[in-house]
Amino acid sequence: MADTLRIVHCFRSPVGGIFRHVRDLTEAQVAAGHSVGIVCDSMTGGAFEERLFEQMKDMLALGIHRTPMQRHVGPGDLASAWCTYRIIKELRPDVLHGHGAKGGAYTRLFGSLLRVSRSRVARLYSPHGGSLHYDEKTATGKLFFALERFMAHFTDYLLFVSDYERRTYRRKVGEPSIPNSLVYNGLRAAEFEPAITRPNAVDLLYIGMMRDLKGPDIFIDALALAGPRLGRTLTAVMVGDGDDLPRYHAQVKRLGLENQIRFLPPMPAREAFALAALVIVPSRAEAMPYIVLEALAAGKPVIATSVGGIPEIFGSGSAALIRPDPAELADKMRQALTDPAAYRKLMPDGASLKARFGVDVMAADIEKAYFGALNR
């Protein structure tokens, strides 16, 4: 078998953590001599994501291919699926790596179709939370987990980004009958350099997708509660975009916080870190969020919810972790801003973070999984 591979990453939404993961992974894979391509949705993302694609395009030998992909299953799926299949077939991948629910479904379906036509392609799936966020007691959850059990027959390897994700898969879908491993998200060496906070920085930063799953509404409610508890007016910046953004604008207006919270479009995380003293991650659900890793690596103090793989970063029982609850978050904001030096001591050690969450470690482990899947 050749040492270099033709690798295609397939995912729906080119925003947030999945897109960040794919960008880092493709960069490392190109550096290792592999030919890499991307297939993703053409309807998601804005100017910030377009700039990221522009930076990547000359690096990827198999190109960047964008085609409409619906978030939910619907009538438009058939046409978009056929377009995606034709693109992937023309790229002739050795490895087809699907990310998220939609990317995972397309990868396993289309990889299996390619195998029918005598193509030897490895089909790998990284859930990144995805359908695993659904409640297994609901009809929707039962449907998705039944589909996951069925799709496992067409999967050569499962890659989990946190032990929480792996445990959730086992509980909701079942014990995997196929090879699988835990590979944490990884950061580049430069991201472990301290980020300098501006002299005129605000108190609090939310950065991420503007959707309820990520908790922007919790952040806004908590800020309204924390100011009176601290005895002063708090200021904040909220960075990001998403379908629910108008609701958060309305929430800020309803609470009379227009002069305290400023909304900004997506930007590189390290630029955002300079804008505030304290980073807040109020998610209701996560797999292994990059933003927590990025903030801690940059030396920023963080308050985060104890959901998904986040406790694996901080250590279980960390006093920096809270439930996704506005009152609890407000109290932790008060604590952190009252004595910043004491709160910083709750953050994980930088050296241990670098050893566990380096991009070189991530890329090497995933490459090992690729060759393992091809050798099956």
Side-chain angles (χ1 to χ4, degrees), residues 79 87 188 202 367:
I87 292 168
R188 296 182 293 273
V202 299
E367 182 180 274

Side-chain angles (χ1 to χ4, degrees), residues 345-359:
K345 293 178 181 178
L346 302 178
M347 299 300 105
D349 173 70
S352 63
L353 281 172
K354 195 169 186 177
R356 295 172 64 213
F357 300 104
V359 71

Side-chain angles (χ1 to χ4, degrees), residues 121-142:
V121 56
R123 303 157 297 179
L124 289 93
Y125 171 43
S126 296
H128 296 282
S131 60
L132 298 181
H133 289 317
Y134 285 102
D135 185 341
E136 65 269 39
K137 298 182 183 68
T138 65
T140 302
K142 288 176 180 176

Side-chain angles (χ1 to χ4, degrees), residues 15 44 208-211 240-249 266:
V15 297
T44 310
M209 295 177 67
M210 295 294 181
R211 54 185 296 216
D241 201 357
D243 293 342
D244 296 332
L245 182 58
R247 286 203 290 106
Y248 306 135
H249 279 286

Side-chain angles (χ1 to χ4, degrees), residues 30-166:
V30 169
H34 302 298
S35 298
V36 185
I38 284 175
V39 181
C40 66
D41 180 37
S42 59
M43 308 300 289
T44 310
F48 176 66
E49 287 75 24
E50 289 298 333
R51 289 194 296 271
L52 294 174
F53 278 122
E54 188 66 25
Q55 293 168 13
M56 298 173 69
K57 68 175 186 179
D58 294 333
M59 177 180 73
L60 301 183
L62 302 186
I64 296 169
H65 307 270
R66 302 189 66 183
T67 184
M69 295 183 187
Q70 292 182 204
R71 182 174 183 178
H72 300 291
V73 176
D77 251 4
L78 193 59
S80 64
W82 175 245
C83 290
T84 305
Y85 172 65
R86 287 193 301 171
I87 292 168
I88 290 172
K89 186 177 181 181
E90 289 177 7
L91 294 176
R92 297 178 293 107
D94 300 309
V95 172
L96 194 50
H97 189 165
H99 304 264
K102 181 70 74 170
Y106 278 179
T107 288
R108 293 175 286 181
L109 173 62
F110 302 150
S112 300
L113 287 174
L114 291 174
R115 285 187 166 205
V116 171
S117 58
R118 298 181 183 276
S119 171
R120 177 62 176 150
V121 56
R123 303 157 297 179
L124 289 93
Y125 171 43
S126 296
H128 296 282
S131 60
L132 298 181
H133 289 317
Y134 285 102
D135 185 341
E136 65 269 39
K137 298 182 183 68
T138 65
T140 302
K142 288 176 180 176
L143 172 62
F144 271 108
F145 300 136
L147 287 172
E148 284 288 358
R149 283 188 285 274
F150 174 73
M151 294 298 287
H153 298 293
F154 308 98
T155 310
D156 297 305
Y157 206 102
L158 281 168
L159 287 161
F160 298 107
V161 295
S162 68
D163 188 53
Y164 168 83
E165 184 176 69
R166 182 163 57 183

